[in-house]
Amino acid sequence: MITRPAAGTAAVYDAMHASRTGTTIVGDLYGQAIGDLYPAELDASSSADWALLGTMVANLRMQPGQRLVDVGCGTGGVGLWLARALAACVTGVDVSSTALGLAAGRTRHFGLPPERAEFRLGSLGATGLPARYADGLVCVDALGHEKDRRKALEEIRRVLKPGARAVLTSGRSRMAPALPPWSEQAQGTGLVLDAEEERPHEPGVWQRVYRSWVEHEAELREQLGHAQADSMLTEARTRGPALRDRVAVAVTLRRPKE
């Protein structure tokens, strides 16, 4: 179910998700670019792959019936998959009401009863969730879009129960990192860094995805419209060259027990 919205708007993301309903081209291109690393069931527009799902299952250390939060959940694939795998309940949070409606509609596909999945409008810096709510939290490819990193990490700490963990994906420049090491970022917001695991294949995945967008420009324009195709091609052409210097990681943070 979808509960009350948090403040804010996400017209850009609403338009993106709306344009992708009724066509499989984006998921098809991800699958072609990533190959058998791509869990097609997720239908995710992110770097989520089998290795990341395995890292999340192992590092969250959740028990059946506990509550998982998926921040920046999009259409829900990662959180719903994990909830099924962990026998957990999931709360997905995203800025796009269109994405949340699609996520709610996918609950049955993952074999979850309605009471084990809910979706709420909110952001990484303001989830709208109660304090000490989550037994585990994941965030895939959303942290880099948050302007205030410290605020986001403080919100993660607030939402986690003492002793609970969060697994986040993140990236930095190999030659000129813009932020302090993760151990310092965690400590500065009352969290503990449990693990920082490099994902060496991730920059290459994005290179192949971006290349496929450029190669299939005509199909993207036909099926998604010019505005969405232009947005994707601009992303591919501006971010693609920087991938050679990118270090991608999966970070596990823990709120200490009190």
Side-chain angles (χ1 to χ4, degrees):
M1 64 178 183
I2 301 175
T3 58
R4 64 175 180 81
T9 183
V12 170
Y13 290 100
D14 285 340
M16 181 191 78
H17 289 292
S19 74
R20 297 180 182 186
T21 59
T23 176
T24 63
I25 186 171
V26 176
D28 291 345
L29 293 180
Y30 269 89
Q32 292 170 21
I34 302 175
D36 61 5
L37 289 174
Y38 180 65
E41 185 182 22
L42 300 187
D43 192 25
S45 300
S46 70
S47 66
D49 55 19
W50 287 115
L52 180 62
L53 292 175
T55 295
M56 289 176 166
V57 168
N59 290 8
L60 287 169
R61 304 180 196 178
M62 292 179 63
Q63 300 299 316
Q66 290 187 322
R67 174 67 56 177
L68 172 70
V69 171
D70 181 4
V71 186
C73 67
T75 58
V78 171
L80 290 168
W81 190 96
L82 288 169
R84 183 180 64 191
L86 297 166
C89 301
V90 62
T91 299
V93 177
D94 201 273
V95 297
S96 169
S97 59
T98 301
L100 294 176
L102 295 169
R106 301 179 69 198
T107 301
R108 181 176 296 181
H109 169 79
F110 284 86
L112 299 180
E115 62 271 18
R116 280 180 54 194
E118 63 175 341
F119 297 93
R120 305 186 182 199
L121 278 169
S123 67
L124 186 53
T127 63
L129 298 174
R132 303 186 179 200
Y133 175 79
D135 299 291
L137 182 148
V138 295
C139 178
V140 179
D141 294 353
L143 188 62
H145 300 287
E146 184 65 40
K147 294 181 180 179
D148 191 336
R149 172 71 65 89
R150 183 180 181 88
K151 180 180 179 182
L153 295 179
E154 289 174 344
E155 177 70 353
I156 288 171
R157 183 189 184 281
R158 186 188 71 82
V159 170
L160 287 175
K161 294 179 180 178
R165 294 171 174 82
V167 180
L168 323 172
T169 63
S170 181
R172 61 174 173 80
S173 165
R174 188 178 300 275
M175 301 301 295
L179 292 167
W182 264 107
S183 57
E184 294 180 17
Q185 294 184 58
Q187 184 177 21
T189 51
L191 294 164
V192 175
L193 177 65
D194 267 5
E196 181 178 357
E197 303 166 61
E198 186 168 354
R199 306 173 65 206
H201 59 280
E202 189 255 33
V205 164
W206 280 116
Q207 286 178 326
R208 294 192 297 275
V209 168
Y210 287 156
R211 187 161 52 245
S212 74
W213 291 358
V214 174
E215 292 172 351
H216 293 85
E217 176 178 352
E219 295 98 313
L220 290 172
R221 292 190 181 281
E222 179 182 358
Q223 297 188 42
L224 303 180
H226 290 297
Q228 290 302 313
D230 284 341
S231 176
M232 293 172 69
L233 293 168
T234 298
E235 177 182 339
R237 289 165 176 153
T238 55
R239 297 186 181 180
L243 290 169
R244 290 187 293 270
D245 185 43
R246 176 176 171 83
V247 178
V249 295
V251 176
T252 303
L253 305 175
R254 173 172 45 88
R255 177 173 176 169
K257 291 184 179 181
E258 298 173 352

